[in-house]
Amino acid sequence: MEPIILASSSPRRQEILKLLNIPFRVIMPNIDETTSALIEAEDVPEMLAREKVMAVIRSLPPQQEIPWVLGADTIVIKDGKVYGKPQNQDEAEEFLREFSGTTHQVITSLVLYNGRKKITTSRVAKTNVTFKTLTENEIQWYLETGEWHGAAGGYRIQSLASILIEKIEGSQSCVTGLPIYELYDILQEQDYSILE
């Protein structure tokens, strides 16, 4: 298999590529992730994933052959509000209180650049996540774990937060940040086989 450039420093995305035995190297994209209010919230992940891929391509020497670049972006939406990565513990606490006893949606977009065909293709995954009604003790316990750091929505479904989640409708890997089915589908479409 050819190596893929992953336009992300996310350990979770790297773990999923390792799980699938896909060779990769990481190049952190240098992009501004602030978005215009004119862009629909649901379109933000694809726009940012595409920007990450293009930023990595622009950062490479012009003569370098670029086989594959994969970008991904995840957002959490509830009642039209977008929840990014909490800036501090107070904001993480606010997120948990707003998620308590309710359902929100996680959207992850993938963008894959195929260097041979010089094209990008994309996929979007959406998952509904329902939190149990959280007690004060549960909120404080989770905040003290520190897991909320650097996580969209302020929680990690693949770790301790799973005890607070009553149900999910859709793909858990979407919430983790790299939906496996959509990744396989987009690679298969571009004749990149992982079944070797």
Side-chain angles (χ1 to χ4, degrees), residues 25-180:
R25 69 184 176 111
V26 171
I27 298 180
M28 263 298 292
N30 184 14
I31 67 163
D32 178 3
E33 294 198 29
T34 55
T35 57
S36 164
L38 302 174
I39 298 168
E40 291 287 328
E42 289 194 10
D43 297 332
V44 168
E46 184 172 348
M47 184 196 78
L48 290 176
R50 196 170 296 279
E51 283 185 22
K52 290 174 184 180
V53 167
M54 299 318 292
V56 165
I57 291 169
R58 285 191 301 271
S59 74
L60 296 170
Q63 68 279 9
Q64 181 174 335
E65 187 179 319
I66 305 164
W68 305 94
V69 183
L70 177 66
D73 194 75
T74 302
I75 62 165
V76 175
I77 301 176
K78 179 177 174 286
D79 300 329
K81 177 180 173 181
V82 175
Y83 294 79
K85 297 170 184 172
Q87 299 300 305
N88 51 48
Q89 186 165 314
D90 288 344
E91 190 171 37
E93 181 174 351
E94 179 189 321
F95 289 3
L96 288 173
R97 291 189 188 285
E98 290 179 25
F99 294 158
S100 176
T102 67
T103 300
H104 60 267
Q105 187 171 62
V106 178
I107 302 173
T108 297
S109 284
L110 302 177
V111 172
L112 179 71
Y113 174 76
N114 179 333
R116 287 198 180 69
K117 297 180 181 176
K118 306 274 191 283
I119 60 168
T120 57
T121 51
S122 63
R123 293 288 185 282
V124 177
K126 298 178 181 181
T127 298
N128 292 327
V129 178
T130 303
F131 268 67
K132 71 183 285 299
T133 301
L134 303 176
T135 66
E136 190 62 33
N137 192 35
E138 288 167 335
I139 291 170
Q140 295 311 315
W141 167 80
Y142 190 69
L143 292 171
E144 286 169 20
T145 69
E147 267 191 5
W148 56 268
H149 284 282
Y155 69 92
R156 298 195 193 285
I157 196 170
Q158 73 279 14
S159 199
L160 295 171
S162 60
I163 70 169
L164 308 176
I165 293 168
E166 189 176 309
K167 71 174 178 176
I168 68 167
E169 296 168 271
S171 156
Q172 180 168 326
S173 59
C174 166
V175 185
T176 304
L178 194 62
I180 293 173

